[in-house]
Amino acid sequence: MQDVTVVRTSVQPPYAAHLRVYEPLAAYPEPERARWQAYAAQHGPDAAEAARPVAEAVLAEQREALAGLVGRTPRALPERESERAFVRLVDGVLYVCPWATRLRSWQALEELRAGTPVALLDTALPPVARAAAEADRERWRAEHPDARPWILTSRWEVPVRWFLPFGEEDRCFVPAEAGDKGEGAGGRAPALFYLTPMSQARRRVARAYRALREAVPEGELVRGAEQVGRWLEEFHPRSLVELDYGGLVHLLGPERLLADRSAGELEDGLRALRAGDDAEALRVYGELTVRWRRVLALRYAN
């Protein structure tokens, strides 16, 4: 576990967690590589900040998105793709995770349409705005058939399958630190994230998938392992993989956040499964699932 610094802000991000892939700068073709190199020189961290949370950049992305939604005519997605990224410098290697906000906005719009009553959806985003966004998406897909997001987002929970690429040693926890007027007015919020090399992430997911497929071939977690594994295969083998609790830290609270060992617990359960102790594996998975379902249920609280 690492103790690192956190940016100061009085604005809380949404209750959302993020799974990110940072590809090494060398993975990007020119002229994109040169653009990201220049961007990192201006916005990227130095070696001393290599393991810090990216909370400040997450809030900047949130503000840009909100600015588009509060206009007289709300925009369902940005007019052009973002030219910003999350940047990490690890062992002298520069890693870049593009925001790809436009692509992710299309995906979020699909999720919103699938899970929101029509009347509410029409109020938030008029049908004409959604139709224009969908038409733009189809044109863009025709030109970029292999595009994929570097960032996955989950609201109100961390899906259990997202812990598969990580081990307890990848956990980075940063405790809260009150400012002069308390955390809500300039203090440091807590942060919890996992960071691991792509090779290790793929190895863990593959081992978990094999064990789960033999034990519970039709289980939810085995399908989740396959989903996460396929997504990770889309990226450069020397990438970094990060799971960021993001705004969920404000939902969980400091005590639950400090005690949370979800990735390590899932590791224990998979270890028991490989050893043939199905009862212990089931107990661990059940407790982990119930705990996160309780967090998810808070979305319906008033």
Side-chain angles (χ1 to χ4, degrees), residues 222-234:
V222 72
R223 292 191 293 272
E226 182 178 13
Q227 180 186 33
V228 172
R230 288 182 182 274
W231 182 66
L232 294 178
E233 289 294 333
E234 295 284 339

Side-chain angles (χ1 to χ4, degrees), residues 173-258:
F173 173 68
V174 186
E177 181 178 310
D180 295 336
K181 298 180 181 181
E183 180 188 331
R188 293 202 310 231
L192 178 57
F193 63 98
Y194 293 80
L195 189 66
T196 197
M198 176 64 79
S199 58
Q200 184 70 283
R202 288 178 178 173
R203 188 178 304 114
R204 288 191 179 113
V205 173
R207 290 188 66 199
Y209 177 71
R210 288 193 298 269
L212 291 163
R213 187 179 57 184
E214 293 177 2
V216 283
E218 300 301 322
E220 179 181 351
L221 192 54
V222 72
R223 292 191 293 272
E226 182 178 13
Q227 180 186 33
V228 172
R230 288 182 182 274
W231 182 66
L232 294 178
E233 289 294 333
E234 295 284 339
F235 301 97
H236 193 280
R238 296 187 182 275
S239 300
L240 299 176
V241 186
E242 177 185 56
L243 169 55
D244 182 2
Y245 276 44
L248 289 182
V249 299
H250 302 286
L251 185 64
L252 295 173
E255 292 184 2
R256 293 170 68 184
L257 196 65
L258 179 62

Side-chain angles (χ1 to χ4, degrees), residues 64-77:
E64 287 188 8
L66 289 175
L69 290 173
V70 300
R72 184 180 297 272
T73 301
R75 294 199 310 268
L77 65 153

